[in-house]
CSV table of all heavy atoms in Angstrom, one decimal:
chain,number,residue,atom,x,y,z
C,1,MET,N,0.8,-1.2,0.0
C,1,MET,CA,0.0,0.0,0.0
C,1,MET,C,0.9,1.2,0.0
C,1,MET,O,1.9,1.3,0.7
C,1,MET,CB,-0.9,0.0,1.2
C,1,MET,CG,-1.9,1.1,1.3
C,1,MET,SD,-3.0,0.9,2.7
C,1,MET,CE,-3.8,2.4,2.5
C,2,GLN,N,0.5,2.2,-0.7
C,2,GLN,CA,1.3,3.4,-0.9
C,2,GLN,C,0.4,4.7,-0.5
C,2,GLN,O,-0.6,4.8,-1.1
C,2,GLN,CB,1.9,3.6,-2.3
C,2,GLN,CG,2.8,4.7,-2.4
C,2,GLN,CD,3.6,4.6,-3.7
C,2,GLN,OE1,3.3,3.9,-4.6
C,2,GLN,NE2,4.6,5.5,-3.9
C,3,GLY,N,0.9,5.4,0.5
C,3,GLY,CA,0.2,6.6,0.9
C,3,GLY,C,-1.1,6.3,1.6
C,3,GLY,O,-1.6,5.2,1.7
C,4,GLY,N,-1.7,7.3,2.2
C,4,GLY,CA,-3.0,7.2,2.9
C,4,GLY,C,-2.9,6.5,4.2
C,4,GLY,O,-1.8,6.2,4.7
C,5,THR,N,-4.0,6.2,4.8
C,5,THR,CA,-4.1,5.6,6.2
C,5,THR,C,-4.8,4.2,6.0
C,5,THR,O,-5.9,4.2,5.5
C,5,THR,CB,-4.8,6.5,7.1
C,5,THR,OG1,-4.1,7.7,7.3
C,5,THR,CG2,-4.9,5.8,8.5
C,6,LEU,N,-4.2,3.2,6.6
C,6,LEU,CA,-4.8,1.9,6.7
C,6,LEU,C,-5.3,1.8,8.2
C,6,LEU,O,-4.6,1.9,9.1
C,6,LEU,CB,-3.9,0.8,6.5
C,6,LEU,CG,-4.4,-0.7,6.8
C,6,LEU,CD1,-5.5,-1.0,6.0
C,6,LEU,CD2,-3.2,-1.7,6.6
C,7,ARG,N,-6.7,1.8,8.4
C,7,ARG,CA,-7.2,1.9,9.7
C,7,ARG,C,-8.0,0.6,10.0
C,7,ARG,O,-8.9,0.2,9.2
C,7,ARG,CB,-8.2,3.0,9.8
C,7,ARG,CG,-8.8,3.2,11.2
C,7,ARG,CD,-9.8,4.4,11.3
C,7,ARG,NE,-9.2,5.6,10.8
C,7,ARG,CZ,-8.4,6.5,11.5
C,7,ARG,NH1,-8.2,6.2,12.8
C,7,ARG,NH2,-8.0,7.6,11.0
C,8,LEU,N,-7.6,-0.1,11.0
C,8,LEU,CA,-8.3,-1.3,11.5
C,8,LEU,C,-9.0,-1.1,12.8
C,8,LEU,O,-8.3,-0.8,13.8
C,8,LEU,CB,-7.3,-2.5,11.6
C,8,LEU,CG,-6.5,-2.8,10.3
C,8,LEU,CD1,-5.4,-3.8,10.6
C,8,LEU,CD2,-7.5,-3.5,9.4
C,9,VAL,N,-10.3,-1.2,12.8
C,9,VAL,CA,-11.0,-1.0,14.1
C,9,VAL,C,-11.2,-2.4,14.7
C,9,VAL,O,-11.7,-3.3,14.1
C,9,VAL,CB,-12.4,-0.4,13.8
C,9,VAL,CG1,-13.2,-0.2,15.0
C,9,VAL,CG2,-12.2,0.9,13.1
C,10,THR,N,-10.8,-2.5,15.9
C,10,THR,CA,-10.8,-3.8,16.6
C,10,THR,C,-11.7,-3.8,17.9
C,10,THR,O,-12.2,-2.7,18.2
C,10,THR,CB,-9.4,-4.2,17.1
C,10,THR,OG1,-8.9,-3.2,18.0
C,10,THR,CG2,-8.5,-4.3,15.9
C,11,ARG,N,-11.9,-4.9,18.5
C,11,ARG,CA,-12.6,-5.0,19.7
C,11,ARG,C,-11.9,-6.0,20.6
C,11,ARG,O,-11.0,-6.6,20.2
C,11,ARG,CB,-14.1,-5.5,19.4
C,11,ARG,CG,-14.1,-6.9,18.8
C,11,ARG,CD,-15.5,-7.3,18.5
C,11,ARG,NE,-15.6,-8.6,17.9
C,11,ARG,CZ,-15.9,-9.7,18.6
C,11,ARG,NH1,-16.1,-9.7,19.9
C,11,ARG,NH2,-15.9,-10.9,18.0
C,12,PRO,N,-12.3,-6.1,21.9
C,12,PRO,CA,-11.6,-7.1,22.8
C,12,PRO,C,-11.6,-8.5,22.2
C,12,PRO,O,-12.7,-8.9,21.6
C,12,PRO,CB,-12.4,-7.0,24.1
C,12,PRO,CG,-13.0,-5.6,24.1
C,12,PRO,CD,-13.3,-5.3,22.7
C,13,GLY,N,-10.5,-9.2,22.2
C,13,GLY,CA,-10.4,-10.5,21.7
C,13,GLY,C,-9.8,-10.5,20.3
C,13,GLY,O,-9.5,-11.6,19.8
C,14,VAL,N,-9.5,-9.4,19.7
C,14,VAL,CA,-8.9,-9.3,18.4
C,14,VAL,C,-7.5,-8.8,18.6
C,14,VAL,O,-7.2,-7.8,19.2
C,14,VAL,CB,-9.7,-8.3,17.4
C,14,VAL,CG1,-9.0,-8.2,16.1
C,14,VAL,CG2,-11.1,-8.8,17.2
C,15,VAL,N,-6.5,-9.6,18.0
C,15,VAL,CA,-5.1,-9.3,18.2
C,15,VAL,C,-4.6,-9.0,16.8
C,15,VAL,O,-4.8,-9.8,15.8
C,15,VAL,CB,-4.3,-10.4,18.8
C,15,VAL,CG1,-2.8,-10.1,18.8
C,15,VAL,CG2,-4.8,-10.7,20.2
C,16,VAL,N,-3.9,-7.8,16.6
C,16,VAL,CA,-3.3,-7.5,15.3
C,16,VAL,C,-1.8,-7.5,15.4
C,16,VAL,O,-1.3,-6.8,16.2
C,16,VAL,CB,-3.9,-6.1,14.8
C,16,VAL,CG1,-3.2,-5.7,13.5
C,16,VAL,CG2,-5.4,-6.1,14.7
C,17,ASP,N,-1.2,-8.3,14.6
C,17,ASP,CA,0.3,-8.3,14.5
C,17,ASP,C,0.9,-7.6,13.4
C,17,ASP,O,0.6,-8.0,12.2
C,17,ASP,CB,0.7,-9.8,14.5
C,17,ASP,CG,2.2,-10.1,14.5
C,17,ASP,OD1,3.0,-9.1,14.7
C,17,ASP,OD2,2.6,-11.2,14.2
C,18,THR,N,1.6,-6.6,13.6
C,18,THR,CA,2.2,-5.7,12.5
C,18,THR,C,3.8,-5.9,12.4
C,18,THR,O,4.4,-5.2,11.7
C,18,THR,CB,1.9,-4.3,12.7
C,18,THR,OG1,2.5,-3.8,14.0
C,18,THR,CG2,0.5,-4.0,12.7
C,19,ASP,N,4.3,-7.0,13.1
C,19,ASP,CA,5.7,-7.2,13.1
C,19,ASP,C,6.3,-7.5,11.8
C,19,ASP,O,7.5,-7.2,11.5
C,19,ASP,CB,6.1,-8.3,14.1
C,19,ASP,CG,5.8,-7.9,15.6
C,19,ASP,OD1,5.7,-6.7,15.8
C,19,ASP,OD2,5.7,-8.8,16.4
C,20,SER,N,5.5,-8.1,10.9
C,20,SER,CA,6.0,-8.5,9.5
C,20,SER,C,5.8,-7.4,8.5
C,20,SER,O,6.1,-7.6,7.3
C,20,SER,CB,5.4,-9.8,9.1
C,20,SER,OG,5.7,-10.8,10.0
C,21,LEU,N,5.3,-6.3,8.9
C,21,LEU,CA,5.0,-5.2,8.0
C,21,LEU,C,6.3,-4.4,7.8
C,21,LEU,O,6.9,-3.9,8.8
C,21,LEU,CB,3.9,-4.3,8.5
C,21,LEU,CG,3.4,-3.2,7.6
C,21,LEU,CD1,2.8,-3.7,6.3
C,21,LEU,CD2,2.4,-2.3,8.4
C,22,VAL,N,6.7,-4.1,6.6
C,22,VAL,CA,7.9,-3.3,6.3
C,22,VAL,C,7.4,-1.9,6.0
C,22,VAL,O,6.5,-1.7,5.1
C,22,VAL,CB,8.7,-3.8,5.1
C,22,VAL,CG1,9.8,-2.9,4.7
C,22,VAL,CG2,9.1,-5.3,5.3
C,23,VAL,N,7.8,-0.9,6.8
C,23,VAL,CA,7.4,0.5,6.7
C,23,VAL,C,8.5,1.3,6.2
C,23,VAL,O,9.6,1.2,6.7
C,23,VAL,CB,6.7,1.0,8.0
C,23,VAL,CG1,5.4,0.3,8.3
C,23,VAL,CG2,7.7,0.9,9.1
C,24,GLU,N,8.2,2.2,5.3
C,24,GLU,CA,9.1,3.2,4.7
C,24,GLU,C,8.4,4.6,4.8
C,24,GLU,O,7.4,4.7,4.1
C,24,GLU,CB,9.5,2.8,3.3
C,24,GLU,CG,10.2,1.5,3.2
C,24,GLU,CD,10.5,1.1,1.7
C,24,GLU,OE1,10.5,2.0,0.9
C,24,GLU,OE2,10.7,-0.1,1.5
C,25,PHE,N,9.0,5.4,5.6
C,25,PHE,CA,8.4,6.8,5.7
C,25,PHE,C,6.9,6.7,6.1
C,25,PHE,O,6.1,7.4,5.7
C,25,PHE,CB,8.5,7.6,4.4
C,25,PHE,CG,9.9,7.7,3.9
C,25,PHE,CD1,10.3,7.0,2.8
C,25,PHE,CD2,10.8,8.4,4.5
C,25,PHE,CE1,11.6,7.0,2.3
C,25,PHE,CE2,12.1,8.5,4.0
C,25,PHE,CZ,12.5,7.8,2.9
C,26,ALA,N,6.6,5.7,7.1
C,26,ALA,CA,5.3,5.5,7.5
C,26,ALA,C,5.3,5.3,9.0
C,26,ALA,O,6.4,5.0,9.6
C,26,ALA,CB,4.6,4.3,6.8
C,27,LYS,N,4.2,5.4,9.7
C,27,LYS,CA,4.1,5.2,11.1
C,27,LYS,C,3.1,4.1,11.4
C,27,LYS,O,2.0,4.0,10.7
C,27,LYS,CB,3.7,6.4,11.8
C,27,LYS,CG,4.7,7.5,11.9
C,27,LYS,CD,4.2,8.7,12.6
C,27,LYS,CE,5.3,9.8,12.7
C,27,LYS,NZ,4.8,11.0,13.5
C,28,VAL,N,3.4,3.3,12.4
C,28,VAL,CA,2.4,2.3,12.9
C,28,VAL,C,2.0,2.6,14.3
C,28,VAL,O,2.8,2.8,15.2
C,28,VAL,CB,3.0,0.9,12.9
C,28,VAL,CG1,2.0,-0.1,13.4
C,28,VAL,CG2,3.4,0.5,11.4
C,29,LYS,N,0.7,2.8,14.5
C,29,LYS,CA,0.1,3.1,15.9
C,29,LYS,C,-0.9,2.0,16.2
C,29,LYS,O,-2.0,2.0,15.6
C,29,LYS,CB,-0.5,4.4,15.9
C,29,LYS,CG,-1.0,4.8,17.3
C,29,LYS,CD,-1.6,6.3,17.2
C,29,LYS,CE,-2.2,6.7,18.5
C,29,LYS,NZ,-2.8,8.0,18.5
C,30,ALA,N,-0.5,1.1,17.1
C,30,ALA,CA,-1.3,0.0,17.5
C,30,ALA,C,-1.7,0.1,19.0
C,30,ALA,O,-0.8,0.1,19.8
C,30,ALA,CB,-0.7,-1.3,17.3
C,31,ARG,N,-3.0,0.3,19.3
C,31,ARG,CA,-3.5,0.4,20.6
C,31,ARG,C,-4.3,-0.9,21.0
C,31,ARG,O,-4.9,-1.5,20.1
C,31,ARG,CB,-4.4,1.6,20.8
C,31,ARG,CG,-3.7,2.9,20.6
C,31,ARG,CD,-4.7,4.1,20.8
C,31,ARG,NE,-5.7,4.1,19.8
C,31,ARG,CZ,-6.9,4.6,19.9
C,31,ARG,NH1,-7.2,5.2,21.0
C,31,ARG,NH2,-7.7,4.6,18.9
C,32,SER,N,-4.3,-1.2,22.3
C,32,SER,CA,-5.0,-2.3,22.8
C,32,SER,C,-6.5,-2.0,22.7
C,32,SER,O,-7.0,-0.9,22.8
C,32,SER,CB,-4.6,-2.5,24.2
C,32,SER,OG,-5.5,-3.5,24.8
C,33,ALA,N,-7.3,-3.1,22.4
C,33,ALA,CA,-8.7,-3.0,22.3
C,33,ALA,C,-9.4,-3.0,23.6
C,33,ALA,O,-10.6,-3.0,23.7
C,33,ALA,CB,-9.3,-4.1,21.4
C,34,GLY,N,-8.7,-3.0,24.7
C,34,GLY,CA,-9.3,-2.9,26.0
C,34,GLY,C,-9.0,-4.0,26.9
C,34,GLY,O,-7.9,-4.0,27.5
C,35,ASP,N,-9.8,-4.9,27.2
C,35,ASP,CA,-9.7,-6.0,28.1
C,35,ASP,C,-8.6,-6.9,27.8
C,35,ASP,O,-8.6,-7.7,26.9
C,35,ASP,CB,-11.0,-6.8,28.2
C,35,ASP,CG,-11.0,-7.8,29.4
C,35,ASP,OD1,-10.1,-7.7,30.2
C,35,ASP,OD2,-12.0,-8.6,29.5
C,36,ALA,N,-7.5,-6.9,28.6
C,36,ALA,CA,-6.3,-7.7,28.4
C,36,ALA,C,-6.6,-9.2,28.7
C,36,ALA,O,-5.9,-10.0,28.2
C,36,ALA,CB,-5.1,-7.2,29.2
C,37,GLY,N,-7.6,-9.4,29.5
C,37,GLY,CA,-7.9,-10.8,29.9
C,37,GLY,C,-8.8,-11.5,29.0
C,37,GLY,O,-9.2,-12.7,29.2
C,38,ALA,N,-9.3,-10.8,28.0
C,38,ALA,CA,-10.3,-11.4,27.0
C,38,ALA,C,-9.6,-12.5,26.2
C,38,ALA,O,-8.4,-12.4,25.8
C,38,ALA,CB,-10.8,-10.4,26.1
C,39,PRO,N,-10.3,-13.6,25.9
C,39,PRO,CA,-9.7,-14.7,25.1
C,39,PRO,C,-9.5,-14.2,23.7
C,39,PRO,O,-10.3,-13.4,23.2
C,39,PRO,CB,-10.7,-15.8,25.2
C,39,PRO,CG,-12.0,-15.2,25.6
C,39,PRO,CD,-11.6,-14.0,26.4
C,40,VAL,N,-8.5,-14.7,23.0
C,40,VAL,CA,-8.3,-14.3,21.6
C,40,VAL,C,-9.2,-15.0,20.7
C,40,VAL,O,-9.3,-16.2,20.7
C,40,VAL,CB,-6.8,-14.6,21.2
C,40,VAL,CG1,-6.6,-14.3,19.7
C,40,VAL,CG2,-5.8,-13.9,22.1
C,41,VAL,N,-10.1,-14.2,20.0
C,41,VAL,CA,-11.1,-14.7,19.1
C,41,VAL,C,-10.6,-14.7,17.7
C,41,VAL,O,-10.8,-15.6,16.9
C,41,VAL,CB,-12.4,-13.9,19.3
C,41,VAL,CG1,-13.4,-14.4,18.3
C,41,VAL,CG2,-12.9,-13.9,20.7
C,42,LEU,N,-9.8,-13.7,17.4
C,42,LEU,CA,-9.3,-13.5,16.0
C,42,LEU,C,-7.9,-12.9,16.1
C,42,LEU,O,-7.6,-12.0,16.8
C,42,LEU,CB,-10.2,-12.6,15.2
C,42,LEU,CG,-9.8,-12.2,13.8
C,42,LEU,CD1,-9.9,-13.4,12.9
C,42,LEU,CD2,-10.7,-11.1,13.2
C,43,ARG,N,-7.0,-13.5,15.3
C,43,ARG,CA,-5.6,-13.0,15.2
C,43,ARG,C,-5.4,-12.5,13.7
C,43,ARG,O,-5.6,-13.3,12.8
C,43,ARG,CB,-4.6,-14.1,15.6
C,43,ARG,CG,-3.2,-13.6,15.5
C,43,ARG,CD,-2.2,-14.7,16.0
C,43,ARG,NE,-2.5,-15.1,17.3
C,43,ARG,CZ,-2.1,-14.6,18.4
C,43,ARG,NH1,-1.4,-13.5,18.4
C,43,ARG,NH2,-2.5,-15.1,19.6
C,44,VAL,N,-5.0,-11.3,13.5
C,44,VAL,CA,-4.8,-10.7,12.2
C,44,VAL,C,-3.3,-10.4,12.1
C,44,VAL,O,-2.8,-9.7,12.9
C,44,VAL,CB,-5.6,-9.4,12.0
C,44,VAL,CG1,-5.4,-8.8,10.7
C,44,VAL,CG2,-7.1,-9.7,12.2
C,45,GLU,N,-2.7,-10.9,11.0
C,45,GLU,CA,-1.3,-10.6,10.8
C,45,GLU,C,-1.2,-9.7,9.5
C,45,GLU,O,-1.7,-10.1,8.4
C,45,GLU,CB,-0.5,-11.9,10.6
C,45,GLU,CG,1.0,-11.6,10.4
C,45,GLU,CD,1.8,-12.9,10.2
C,45,GLU,OE1,1.2,-14.0,10.3
C,45,GLU,OE2,3.0,-12.8,10.1
C,46,ILE,N,-0.6,-8.6,9.6
C,46,ILE,CA,-0.5,-7.7,8.5
C,46,ILE,C,1.0,-7.8,8.0
C,46,ILE,O,1.9,-7.6,8.7
C,46,ILE,CB,-0.7,-6.2,8.9
C,46,ILE,CG1,-2.1,-6.1,9.5
C,46,ILE,CG2,-0.5,-5.3,7.7
C,46,ILE,CD1,-2.4,-4.7,10.0
C,47,VAL,N,1.1,-8.2,6.7
C,47,VAL,CA,2.4,-8.4,6.1
C,47,VAL,C,2.5,-7.6,4.8
C,47,VAL,O,1.4,-7.2,4.3
C,47,VAL,CB,2.7,-9.9,5.8
C,47,VAL,CG1,2.7,-10.7,7.1
C,47,VAL,CG2,1.6,-10.4,4.8
C,48,GLY,N,3.6,-7.3,4.3
C,48,GLY,CA,3.8,-6.6,3.1
C,48,GLY,C,4.6,-5.3,3.3
C,48,GLY,O,5.5,-5.3,4.2
C,49,ARG,N,4.3,-4.3,2.5
C,49,ARG,CA,5.1,-3.1,2.5
C,49,ARG,C,4.2,-1.9,2.5
C,49,ARG,O,3.2,-1.8,1.7
C,49,ARG,CB,6.0,-3.1,1.3
C,49,ARG,CG,7.0,-1.9,1.3
C,49,ARG,CD,8.0,-2.1,0.1
C,49,ARG,NE,8.3,-0.8,-0.4
C,49,ARG,CZ,8.5,-0.4,-1.6
C,49,ARG,NH1,8.3,-1.3,-2.5
C,49,ARG,NH2,8.8,0.8,-1.9
C,50,LYS,N,4.4,-0.9,3.4
C,50,LYS,CA,3.7,0.3,3.5
C,50,LYS,C,4.6,1.5,3.3
C,50,LYS,O,5.6,1.6,4.0
C,50,LYS,CB,3.0,0.4,4.9
C,50,LYS,CG,2.3,1.7,5.1
C,50,LYS,CD,1.0,1.8,4.3
C,50,LYS,CE,0.2,3.0,4.8
C,50,LYS,NZ,-0.4,3.7,3.7
C,51,VAL,N,4.4,2.2,2.2
C,51,VAL,CA,5.2,3.4,1.9
C,51,VAL,C,4.4,4.7,2.1
C,51,VAL,O,3.3,4.8,1.6
C,51,VAL,CB,5.7,3.3,0.4
C,51,VAL,CG1,6.6,4.5,0.1
C,51,VAL,CG2,6.4,2.0,0.2
C,52,TYR,N,4.9,5.6,3.0
C,52,TYR,CA,4.2,6.8,3.3
C,52,TYR,C,3.0,6.5,4.1
C,52,TYR,O,2.4,5.4,4.0
C,52,TYR,CB,4.0,7.7,2.1
C,52,TYR,CG,5.2,8.1,1.4
C,52,TYR,CD1,5.5,7.5,0.2
C,52,TYR,CD2,6.1,9.0,1.9
C,52,TYR,CE1,6.7,7.8,-0.5
C,52,TYR,CE2,7.3,9.3,1.3
C,52,TYR,CZ,7.6,8.8,0.0
C,52,TYR,OH,8.7,9.1,-0.6
C,53,GLY,N,2.3,7.5,4.7
C,53,GLY,CA,1.1,7.3,5.4
C,53,GLY,C,1.3,6.7,6.7
C,53,GLY,O,2.3,6.8,7.4
C,54,ARG,N,0.2,6.0,7.2
C,54,ARG,CA,0.3,5.4,8.5
C,54,ARG,C,-0.7,4.2,8.6
C,54,ARG,O,-1.6,4.0,7.8
C,54,ARG,CB,0.0,6.4,9.6
C,54,ARG,CG,-1.3,7.1,9.4
C,54,ARG,CD,-1.4,8.3,10.3
C,54,ARG,NE,-2.8,8.8,10.2
C,54,ARG,CZ,-3.5,9.3,11.1
C,54,ARG,NH1,-3.0,9.4,12.4
C,54,ARG,NH2,-4.7,9.7,10.9
C,55,VAL,N,-0.4,3.4,9.6
C,55,VAL,CA,-1.3,2.3,9.9
C,55,VAL,C,-1.8,2.5,11.3
C,55,VAL,O,-1.0,2.7,12.3
C,55,VAL,CB,-0.5,0.9,9.9
C,55,VAL,CG1,-1.4,-0.2,10.3
C,55,VAL,CG2,0.1,0.7,8.5
C,56,VAL,N,-3.1,2.5,11.5
C,56,VAL,CA,-3.7,2.8,12.9
C,56,VAL,C,-4.6,1.6,13.2
C,56,VAL,O,-5.5,1.2,12.5
C,56,VAL,CB,-4.6,4.1,12.8
C,56,VAL,CG1,-5.2,4.3,14.2
C,56,VAL,CG2,-3.8,5.2,12.4
C,57,VAL,N,-4.2,1.0,14.4
C,57,VAL,CA,-5.0,-0.2,14.9
C,57,VAL,C,-5.5,0.1,16.3
C,57,VAL,O,-4.8,0.6,17.1
C,57,VAL,CB,-4.1,-1.4,15.0
C,57,VAL,CG1,-4.9,-2.6,15.5
C,57,VAL,CG2,-3.5,-1.7,13.6
C,58,GLY,N,-6.8,-0.1,16.5
C,58,GLY,CA,-7.3,0.2,17.8
C,58,GLY,C,-8.8,0.1,17.8
C,58,GLY,O,-9.5,-0.1,16.8
C,59,PRO,N,-9.4,0.3,19.0
C,59,PRO,CA,-10.9,0.2,19.2
C,59,PRO,C,-11.5,1.4,18.6
C,59,PRO,O,-10.9,2.4,18.3
C,59,PRO,CB,-11.0,0.2,20.7
C,59,PRO,CG,-9.9,0.9,21.2
C,59,PRO,CD,-8.7,0.6,20.3
C,60,ALA,N,-12.8,1.3,18.3
C,60,ALA,CA,-13.6,2.4,17.7
C,60,ALA,C,-13.6,3.6,18.7
C,60,ALA,O,-13.6,3.4,19.9
C,60,ALA,CB,-15.0,2.0,17.5
C,61,ARG,N,-13.6,4.8,18.2
C,61,ARG,CA,-13.6,6.0,19.0
C,61,ARG,C,-15.0,6.1,19.7
C,61,ARG,O,-16.0,5.8,19.0
C,61,ARG,CB,-13.3,7.2,18.2
C,61,ARG,CG,-11.9,7.3,17.8
C,61,ARG,CD,-11.6,8.5,16.9
C,61,ARG,NE,-12.6,9.5,16.9
C,61,ARG,CZ,-12.6,10.6,16.1
C,61,ARG,NH1,-11.6,10.7,15.4
C,61,ARG,NH2,-13.5,11.4,16.2
C,62,ARG,N,-15.0,6.5,20.9
C,62,ARG,CA,-16.3,6.7,21.5
C,62,ARG,C,-16.6,8.2,21.8
C,62,ARG,O,-15.7,8.9,22.2
C,62,ARG,CB,-16.3,6.0,22.9
C,62,ARG,CG,-16.3,4.5,22.7
C,62,ARG,CD,-16.6,3.8,23.9
C,62,ARG,NE,-16.7,2.3,23.6
C,62,ARG,CZ,-16.3,1.4,24.5
C,62,ARG,NH1,-15.9,1.8,25.7
C,62,ARG,NH2,-16.3,0.2,24.1
C,63,MET,N,-17.8,8.6,21.5
C,63,MET,CA,-18.1,10.0,21.6
C,63,MET,C,-18.8,10.2,23.0
C,63,MET,O,-19.5,9.3,23.4
C,63,MET,CB,-19.1,10.4,20.5
C,63,MET,CG,-18.5,10.3,19.1
C,63,MET,SD,-17.1,11.3,18.8
C,63,MET,CE,-17.8,12.9,18.8
C,64,PRO,N,-18.6,11.3,23.6
C,64,PRO,CA,-19.3,11.5,24.9
C,64,PRO,C,-20.8,11.6,24.9
C,64,PRO,O,-21.3,12.0,23.8
C,64,PRO,CB,-18.6,12.9,25.4
C,64,PRO,CG,-18.2,13.5,24.1
C,64,PRO,CD,-17.8,12.4,23.2
C,65,PHE,N,-21.4,11.2,25.9
C,65,PHE,CA,-22.9,11.4,26.0
C,65,PHE,C,-23.7,10.6,25.0
C,65,PHE,O,-24.8,11.0,24.6
C,65,PHE,CB,-23.3,12.9,26.0
C,65,PHE,CG,-22.5,13.7,27.0
C,65,PHE,CD1,-21.7,14.7,26.5
C,65,PHE,CD2,-22.7,13.6,28.3
C,65,PHE,CE1,-20.9,15.5,27.4
C,65,PHE,CE2,-21.9,14.3,29.2
C,65,PHE,CZ,-21.0,15.3,28.7
C,66,GLY,N,-23.2,9.5,24.6
C,66,GLY,CA,-23.9,8.6,23.7
C,66,GLY,C,-24.0,9.0,22.3
C,66,GLY,O,-24.8,8.5,21.5
C,67,ARG,N,-23.3,10.0,21.8
C,67,ARG,CA,-23.3,10.4,20.5
C,67,ARG,C,-22.6,9.5,19.6
C,67,ARG,O,-21.6,8.8,20.0
C,67,ARG,CB,-22.7,11.8,20.3
C,67,ARG,CG,-23.5,12.9,21.0
C,67,ARG,CD,-22.8,14.2,20.8
C,67,ARG,NE,-23.5,15.3,21.5
C,67,ARG,CZ,-22.9,16.5,21.7
C,67,ARG,NH1,-21.8,16.8,21.2
C,67,ARG,NH2,-23.6,17.4,22.4
C,68,SER,N,-22.9,9.4,18.4
C,68,SER,CA,-22.2,8.5,17.4
C,68,SER,C,-21.5,9.4,16.3
C,68,SER,O,-21.8,10.6,16.1
C,68,SER,CB,-23.1,7.6,16.7
C,68,SER,OG,-24.0,8.3,15.8
C,69,LEU,N,-20.5,8.8,15.7
C,69,LEU,CA,-19.8,9.5,14.6
C,69,LEU,C,-20.6,9.7,13.4
C,69,LEU,O,-20.4,10.6,12.6
C,69,LEU,CB,-18.5,8.8,14.3
C,69,LEU,CG,-17.4,8.8,15.3
C,69,LEU,CD1,-16.3,7.9,14.9
C,69,LEU,CD2,-16.9,10.2,15.6
C,70,ALA,N,-21.7,8.9,13.2
C,70,ALA,CA,-22.5,8.9,12.0
C,70,ALA,C,-23.4,10.2,12.0
C,70,ALA,O,-23.9,10.6,11.0
C,70,ALA,CB,-23.4,7.7,11.9
C,71,GLY,N,-23.6,10.8,13.2
C,71,GLY,CA,-24.4,12.0,13.3
C,71,GLY,C,-25.8,11.8,13.7
C,71,GLY,O,-26.7,12.5,13.6
């Protein structure tokens, strides 16, 4: 993938492995999906090459007071 942002939205029990991803002028930001004690339901391995841009892995953003991003 070249340029742009690869965004993976996860939930507890989903593990994303970016160790095999080769990055050139790119950033990888991987956050935990929350509960560290949750059993692993799905394991995703990202491989290949990412040039420019970024890879963001983490849970969905939550809006205050029950609002959603959809509006």
Side-chain angles (χ1 to χ4, degrees):
M1 183 175 174
Q2 187 170 9
T5 299
L6 172 63
R7 182 179 309 272
L8 297 170
V9 179
T10 61
R11 63 183 181 97
V14 177
V15 176
V16 179
D17 178 10
T18 59
D19 292 341
S20 298
L21 182 65
V22 177
V23 292
E24 297 176 20
F25 306 106
K27 291 183 179 182
V28 176
K29 181 178 181 182
R31 293 184 293 156
S32 171
D35 187 11
V40 175
V41 177
L42 177 66
R43 181 178 304 275
V44 178
E45 183 178 2
I46 301 175
V47 297
R49 185 173 149 218
K50 173 73 172 143
V51 182
Y52 302 106
R54 54 192 187 142
V55 177
V56 179
V57 178
R61 291 181 9 189
R62 294 198 175 142
M63 299 299 290
F65 309 112
R67 295 181 183 169
S68 70
L69 291 174

